Amino acid sequence: MAYTYYWADGSASQQPYNQYTVNGCAIGCGSLAWTILFLWGDQQAGTGNSYWAPRWGLYRQDGGTGADVVSPTSQTAGVNNVI
């Protein structure tokens, strides 16, 4: 069996998302890590990376189920919805 490894390109285009608190409890950690990866892929698809181009639609408007938009490059309420 052969494996192919793919790497996110490090901090060069990694989204600067962070944990946040709700009622004094930290939200994130595992879900934050997955959000960073999924929305990095969405950002790649939306900005012309030919490998990721067919994988569009990972992020939807305001982090919901609406229209396809490119994921934000900063922490927004929509990103928090995904986390």
Side-chain angles (χ1 to χ4, degrees):
M1 175 182 288
Y3 294 94
T4 302
Y5 293 91
Y6 296 96
W7 303 93
D9 59 354
S11 62
S13 64
Q14 181 176 315
Q15 308 298 34
Y17 306 146
N18 296 295
Q19 288 182 308
Y20 61 98
T21 59
V22 173
N23 298 327
C25 295
I27 304 296
C29 202
S31 58
L32 173 62
W34 283 108
T35 299
I36 289 171
L37 288 172
F38 278 117
L39 299 191
W40 175 87
D42 186 80
Q43 188 68 224
Q44 295 300 301
T47 57
N49 180 317
S50 60
Y51 178 80
W52 285 92
R55 296 161 177 86
W56 60 273
L58 295 171
Y59 180 81
R60 299 297 175 139
Q61 188 171 9
D62 299 323
T65 58
D68 175 44
V69 295
V70 177
S71 60
T73 57
S74 61
Q75 187 113 9
T76 64
V79 170
N80 288 352
N81 287 340
V82 175
I83 295 169

